[in-house]
Amino acid sequence: MSESTQLVTQLLRAVIAYTWFFETCDKTVLDDDTALKQQEYAGYLLNQLSDADKQRVVDELAALAAGETDPTYREFVETFAFTMGLVEAEDD
């Protein structure tokens, strides 16, 4: 089976978008505990990846952040790997 770069990119965009929603939604839409629980679960799932796949996600995140025009969202994407526990320090 061949790898699809577009598939990986789009799936990562979906994960980021949902995580952004959990991070930024008003508590009248979703209570804070549920949002945090969902973010932690996303981090747990991402941390099940192999080291090589984690690095691929980190590389893809860097490319996505570089193309992002919204500064707030760009910062969210830039710090996503650290926030999800994929890297030890934000500058990795």
Side-chain angles (χ1 to χ4, degrees):
M1 185 182 309
S2 65
E3 292 185 30
S4 172
T5 302
Q6 184 179 12
L7 174 64
V8 172
T9 301
Q10 289 303 98
L11 288 173
L12 186 54
R13 283 182 176 150
V15 170
I16 295 166
Y18 279 107
T19 307
W20 173 255
F21 168 77
F22 295 135
E23 180 75 21
T24 61
C25 71
D26 186 280
K27 66 174 83 176
T28 61
V29 174
L30 182 67
D31 71 89
D32 291 342
D33 290 338
T34 300
L36 180 59
K37 184 177 179 180
Q38 292 304 309
Q39 288 177 300
E40 288 173 345
Y41 187 60
Y44 167 78
L45 291 174
L46 289 171
N47 275 283
Q48 300 307 302
L49 295 170
S50 69
D51 288 342
D53 286 339
K54 286 179 188 177
Q55 186 58 54
R56 182 171 179 191
V57 168
V58 169
D59 294 343
E60 189 65 39
L61 287 166
L64 290 172
E68 182 53 54
T69 58
D70 179 326
T72 304
Y73 195 72
R74 181 183 325 112
E75 181 179 356
F76 183 78
V77 175
E78 288 172 341
T79 60
F80 188 83
F82 174 74
T83 302
M84 291 291 133
L86 298 175
V87 296
E88 293 294 317
E90 289 186 66
D91 55 37
D92 283 351

